[in-house]
Amino acid sequence: MAQGAGRTTAQVVAVAALAAAVTVFLSVAAVRHGFFDLRVYYGALTYWARDGGEIYDFLKAGTQYGFTYPPFAALVMLPMAYLPWNAAIVVSVAATVVVSAVVIWWLLDPVARRCGWTRWFTLAVALCLAAAYEPMRETVNFGQVNMLLLFLVAVDLLRLLPAGNRWAGVGIGLATAIKLTPGIFVVYLLVTGRWRAAATAVGAAAVATLVAAGLFPDASREFWTEALWNTDRVGELAFVSNQSLRGVVARLDPEHPSTLAWLLLVLVTLVVWGWRCRRAVAAGDEATGLALTGAVMCLVSPVTWVHHLVWLLPGLILLVDNGTAAPARGRRRRVLLAAALVGYALLCSRIVWAWEKDFTGVDGFLGSNTYVWISLALLLGLPIRRRATPTGGGRDGVRGPDGSAVEPAGVAQLAEDDGVAPAVQRHRIGGLLPVR
């Protein structure tokens, strides 16, 4: 009893110390954007709902930035127009914190149980580390919706789909109707042969879009015929915050970026992604499918601002998951945990901003695209593990979980050849854990 109480006290002290250290780090490193994007949403919605204007005609004063999301997003955000500004901030921050905690917990809980870590302590440490993560702090400081979209997708891929739930796909559909880029997860379902879930996602997106069109026909007409195609509203492609393949190409020649070079890079990237995702799903590794698709979405989207890189969080957590599951004192464990640490550290560092004004030369090419290289590394090197599945089948050919949607029954039973480790190393490793 005394030993347990002492351990709890030590963990509370450790969390308090880590939280204090992160607070100091944020006071120095975090850029305060004044909830810029939230101000755009709030201004556009107020102009639309209370001042009688058209939502896509609104531009924030002194900028070219306006509301760029589909009309269904405007419908979801509409209550914001009737809140005081400070209340809108509280709702935005609170929603991001809550859904972030849920997604991180879904990914980390199997690791905590397998390793014997205290579960509340694991989550508390993870949340402190997430607060220091640049894409997360940018999401909060801008008032962005990235984590809400990741949550909707994670509900499908980490909970409903592995359980064979008939509603799997609704979250992806709603996320796509709110912001078009999560539509890559519909393609993921198609590429991996989950036809019913893909149809559900398409149906949910279509219904949400039609409901918005029925309620707001003028706004819907303007979005789909004009606002969607106005690229001036999203910003400069060569800006260092654009950590996509399109940004890489644009920074090579800002005046005349090669569309052909970008499309070729996108094609190759999608081929690799499709191959790896099919192998992940064949192994029952839905969490890795989520991580790979999040990484490829960041790569192939024409614009991936730094705050969009919250989609890399699942990949970093899964590096820790795979590292702790590898044999103790083995090379695989050291490599995976080191990769997670380096990737996380770089994504906290604001390193790309060192080349904000001048991204020419070899150092500019390598440094200004650092986060793109991390996305590519996750796409190419994130291990695929065969997950344990209990008896009893689910729908879409996926067996239902007993416990965690990430690791059914909380145990990884076989190592899946990830196509990265040398053959001799794979021979030495065998399984990530003994087969039970």
Side-chain angles (χ1 to χ4, degrees):
M1 178 84 63
Q3 184 178 2
R7 181 186 183 190
T8 300
T9 301
Q11 289 174 336
V12 170
V13 170
V15 169
L18 179 59
V22 169
T23 300
V24 172
F25 172 76
L26 293 177
S27 70
V28 175
V31 176
R32 281 126 183 103
H33 299 291
F35 297 97
F36 183 93
D37 290 354
L38 187 64
R39 286 185 184 275
V40 173
Y41 308 154
Y42 188 82
L45 291 165
T46 301
Y47 177 71
W48 181 45
R50 297 169 61 182
D51 298 338
E54 284 296 336
I55 189 168
Y56 296 107
D57 292 340
F58 174 85
L59 294 177
K60 188 177 184 299
T63 77
Q64 79 272 33
Y65 297 109
F67 195 85
T68 58
Y69 295 166
F72 180 69
L75 174 61
V76 172
M77 297 181 187
L78 186 58
M80 185 191 304
Y82 301 96
L83 292 177
W85 169 241
N86 288 335
I89 292 175
V90 170
V91 170
S92 172
V93 173
T96 296
V97 170
V98 169
V99 298
S100 298
V102 172
V103 172
I104 290 170
W105 182 239
W106 283 344
L107 291 165
L108 270 182
D109 183 42
V111 187
R113 289 188 287 117
R114 185 182 63 235
C115 296
W117 300 340
T118 305
R119 296 165 81 187
W120 74 263
F121 177 70
T122 302
L123 180 61
V125 169
L127 290 178
C128 287
L129 296 177
Y133 183 65
E134 184 181 356
M136 182 69 78
R137 63 186 194 242
E138 293 278 285
T139 287
V140 173
N141 282 328
F142 272 116
Q144 262 285 343
V145 299
N146 306 304
M147 285 306 301
L148 299 174
L149 300 177
L150 176 53
F151 170 76
L152 287 173
V153 172
V155 168
D156 275 345
L157 298 189
L158 301 185
R159 313 307 286 185
L160 300 184
L161 194 61
N165 191 292
R166 59 187 295 211
W167 294 102
V170 170
I172 291 172
L174 293 177
T176 303
I178 292 171
K179 186 175 182 179
L180 299 179
T181 48
I184 188 70
F185 286 93
V186 179
V187 182
Y188 166 72
L189 293 174
L190 292 171
V191 166
T192 54
R194 271 76 64 81
W195 310 110
R196 188 178 60 194
T200 301
V202 171
V207 169
T209 300
L210 290 174
V211 167
L215 293 173
F216 316 119
D218 292 339
S220 295
R221 187 181 309 109
E222 184 171 357
F223 175 79
W224 294 108
T225 61
E226 295 182 29
L228 175 61
W229 314 104
N230 184 358
T231 57
D232 292 336
R233 297 166 66 94
V234 299
E236 176 58 44
L237 291 175
F239 184 42
V240 74
S241 183
N242 185 13
Q243 291 292 301
S244 68
L245 293 173
R246 184 64 159 155
V248 173
V249 173
R251 282 186 286 277
L252 288 174
D253 185 359
E255 296 299 323
H256 305 285
S258 172
T259 299
L260 177 60
W262 172 58
L263 291 176
L264 289 175
L265 288 173
V266 166
L267 178 61
V268 172
T269 302
L270 288 175
V271 169
V272 173
W273 164 74
W275 168 64
R276 297 217 73 211
C277 282
R278 287 180 63 86
R279 294 182 60 246
V281 169
D285 195 353
E286 203 71 66
T288 296
L290 165 63
L292 293 173
T293 307
V296 87
M297 182 175 70
C298 294
L299 289 167
V300 304
S301 174
V303 176
T304 298
W305 303 133
V306 168
H307 56 76
H308 294 148
L309 297 174
V310 294
W311 290 93
L312 300 186
L313 263 180
L316 294 176
I317 293 173
L318 288 173
L319 284 176
V320 175
D321 186 352
N322 283 278
T324 56
R329 295 181 296 277
R331 178 177 177 272
R332 183 182 178 90
R333 171 177 287 212
R334 293 194 302 271
V335 168
L336 291 175
L337 294 181
L341 178 61
V342 170
Y344 170 78
L346 288 173
L347 282 163
C348 290
S349 67
R350 287 183 54 82
I351 187 172
V352 298
W353 298 98
W355 290 272
E356 180 180 4
K357 303 298 184 184
D358 181 9
F359 38 73
T360 59
V362 175
D363 66 311
F365 175 73
L366 296 176
S368 69
N369 299 308
T370 298
Y371 300 164
V372 178
W373 311 143
I374 294 173
S375 297
L376 284 169
L378 288 172
L379 176 64
L380 295 172
L382 190 62
I384 294 171
R385 277 192 8 243
R386 186 172 298 282
R387 306 291 178 171
T389 53
T391 57
R395 297 177 177 86
D396 274 358
V398 180
R399 294 191 177 187
D402 178 16
S404 168
V406 183
E407 275 185 15
V411 179
Q413 291 192 332
L414 292 175
E416 180 74 7
D417 175 9
D418 58 26
V420 176
V424 63
Q425 182 69 10
R426 291 197 295 268
H427 176 74
R428 290 174 182 170
I429 292 171
L432 290 173
L433 288 178
V435 178
R436 292 185 179 178

